[in-house]
Amino acid sequence: MLEFISEDNQTGKLRIQGHSTIGYAKELKTGLVEALDKVQLLKLDLSGLTEADLSFVQLLYSLSQTAAKSGKTVQLDGLCPALLRQLVDTVGFNQKKWLCFG
């Protein structure tokens, strides 16, 4: 589900695969925070995302805000999955500038 890959001492990639729903929220939050703590630039690979819900959108948004306040960067590695884009549009998080939105 979560796999952290260090590219160098400043950059890392977090691959998130499968289900990213409320049932996995605690594990996702822990993985996101730990990954961001390790690097200045965190790339998120969501290409293997098969299911997501509002809790995942909230976690990603919170991560992007936390990174910005800490002088760090979170960005998508690759294309923004249609699943995530549709969910973000539905819940109204597309009005803010973050990741591939806004």
Side-chain angles (χ1 to χ4, degrees):
M1 179 175 197
L2 294 175
E3 177 187 10
F4 180 77
I5 303 160
S6 181
E7 294 183 358
D8 58 43
N9 62 352
Q10 295 292 313
T11 305
K13 181 189 298 187
L14 184 64
R15 184 173 293 136
I16 301 174
Q17 298 178 319
H19 301 283
S20 295
T21 56
I22 190 70
Y24 301 96
K26 185 176 180 179
E27 178 184 347
L28 287 165
K29 179 182 178 187
T30 299
L32 290 166
V33 169
E34 287 176 357
L36 185 61
D37 284 346
K38 294 176 183 177
V39 294
Q40 286 296 114
L41 170 60
L42 178 61
K43 298 177 184 179
L44 300 176
D45 177 355
L46 305 179
S47 61
L49 192 66
T50 58
E51 185 178 1
D53 63 10
L54 177 58
S55 66
F56 185 61
V57 173
Q58 290 172 319
L59 285 171
L60 290 182
Y61 183 75
S62 177
L63 181 74
S64 69
Q65 296 302 300
T66 299
K69 289 177 184 174
S70 303
K72 296 184 176 193
T73 303
V74 175
Q75 66 185 35
L76 288 183
D77 186 51
L79 298 175
C80 185
L83 167 72
L84 182 60
R85 186 172 294 283
Q86 181 180 7
L87 183 58
V88 166
D89 288 346
T90 300
V91 298
F93 272 75
N94 58 348
Q95 303 300 316
K96 301 177 185 299
K97 185 158 179 61
W98 64 287
L99 292 181
C100 58
F101 308 102

